[in-house]
Amino acid sequence: MPRSFCTDLSRAAGEPLAGTGAHQSRILLLRWPKAGWDRRIFQAPGMSDDLAAAIADLRQDGSGRRIQLIDRKGEATGRHRLFLYPEQLTREVATEELPDVLRALDVGDLSGWQAQVRPVMLACTHGVKDRCCAKYGFALYKALERAADGPEVWESTHLGGCRLSAVALTLPNLHKYGRLSPADAAALTADEAAGRPFLPAWRGPSHLPPEAQAAAVAAEAAARRMGGMVAGDPNGADGAWSAPVRLPGGTTTVHVALEPIKTRRPGTCNDLDAGEVAQAVGWQERGAALR
């Protein structure tokens, strides 16, 4: 019997994508060979005790810094790229230098870091954590690699929402995506280059709560239909939201109506294998109008 995938069941259940875009804004990306990844997001078995301790200290310093591993083919053995957001900084160091670099970062020492000019695109390919990220994520990564003209494209450990694979995150825009397919790569890259989210797969602004994220996605779609763009976060509650919109002829307001929707789906493929199905509460658009 073919294996089931949590992504397919989430889609079949009608779980909304908008409203699932939460993500930390303070991020450290650490290049580590993918062959050494295990289920953890931020650490791998081949790391020294000194490096593991430095990572643990940085994660526990109260700053909310999310650490995750990245990789791509062609990287030099024994060398490691680091990316820091929202500071938009980068550097490359040798393996033996990593603990000291992370300890310096932990006390706010950014000497040796340089500006990261190019955007970064991450595709979650963390198959050892969830098989959906292997099945869907790696195909997306290869497509982004072919389509991207300008951004640096990397494989990444878990980005959140395995059941919404393929998952991607773009930096510094901090746009989080789900249910991407290889066919979306060119359009995603074009929208990101223009500084706007790719609407068909956008999960919502990462800094807002779920309902507000869903309202923001609906407002952005309405604004684009009129040739405009949203000019601020939505305001509202309980299914009634509004957001400012900038149009070629001036500014207006878009009003969005949402309704709650409940679905039952596994959170991950491991949950699916264990027979664990959870109820999810999300929001879907009932209508949007400019006034």
Side-chain angles (χ1 to χ4, degrees):
M1 178 182 295
R3 297 186 81 181
S4 297
F5 291 83
C6 62
T7 292
D8 301 334
L9 295 182
S10 169
R11 190 191 300 269
E15 181 184 7
L17 186 63
T20 65
H23 201 88
Q24 294 95 321
S25 61
R26 293 173 56 78
I27 301 168
L28 173 67
L29 307 177
L30 165 59
R31 184 262 160 180
W32 193 267
K34 183 183 175 184
W37 294 359
D38 60 13
R39 287 181 53 81
R40 291 170 293 182
I41 299 170
F42 53 86
Q43 197 172 330
M47 292 179 174
S48 68
D49 292 343
D50 196 20
L51 177 54
I55 289 174
D57 289 344
L58 189 59
R59 292 182 68 241
Q60 295 172 8
D61 71 354
S63 70
R65 185 82 66 179
R66 180 186 177 101
I67 303 174
Q68 56 192 91
L69 308 181
I70 60 172
D71 195 18
R72 64 181 178 183
K73 286 184 171 55
E75 293 297 300
T77 301
R79 304 290 298 177
H80 304 270
R81 284 285 298 280
L82 301 171
F83 298 90
L84 197 63
Y85 291 94
E87 295 86 350
Q88 288 184 242
L89 298 174
T90 188
R91 67 183 299 175
E92 180 178 304
V93 300
T95 304
E96 59 271 18
E97 298 175 303
L98 277 171
D100 287 341
V101 168
L102 296 191
R103 279 191 284 265
L105 176 60
D106 196 22
V107 297
D109 181 358
L110 296 178
S111 57
W113 293 78
Q114 299 176 333
Q116 171 62 21
V117 177
R118 296 174 64 189
V120 169
M121 286 188 175
L122 305 178
C124 179
T125 62
H126 202 174
V128 70
K129 183 172 179 62
D130 193 283
R131 59 179 175 266
C132 280
C133 302
K135 178 179 181 180
Y136 297 108
F138 189 71
L140 173 67
Y141 165 71
K142 296 302 291 182
L144 288 174
E145 226 184 7
R146 292 189 295 269
D149 181 14
E152 294 191 37
V153 180
W154 294 80
E155 298 185 66
S156 172
T157 53
H158 180 66
L159 292 172
C162 304
R163 69 189 183 281
L164 305 174
S165 297
V167 173
L169 181 72
T170 62
L171 296 164
N173 289 339
L174 203 62
H175 293 156
K176 195 170 185 178
Y177 297 103
R179 295 185 184 140
L180 285 164
S181 75
D184 295 322
L188 168 62
T189 301
D191 275 346
E192 283 292 327
R196 59 178 179 251
F198 174 60
L199 272 176
W202 188 34
R203 296 165 63 175
S206 62
H207 65 287
L208 297 177
E211 186 183 355
Q213 292 177 34
V217 173
E220 180 69 20
R224 289 195 199 178
R225 288 194 292 269
M226 300 296 293
M229 61 183 296
V230 172
D233 289 341
N235 293 298
D238 300 326
W241 293 81
S242 62
V245 172
R246 187 178 299 114
L247 298 174
T251 59
T252 187
T253 300
V254 61
H255 295 271
V256 174
L258 302 174
E259 62 182 0
I261 179 173
K262 295 180 180 180
T263 57
R264 290 183 59 81
R265 81 303 181 264
T268 66
C269 284
N270 286 335
D271 294 338
L272 176 61
D273 293 343
E276 298 175 2
V277 178
Q279 179 171 278
V281 179
W283 294 87
Q284 64 182 5
E285 179 186 347
R286 282 196 294 112
L290 296 175
R291 298 175 189 171

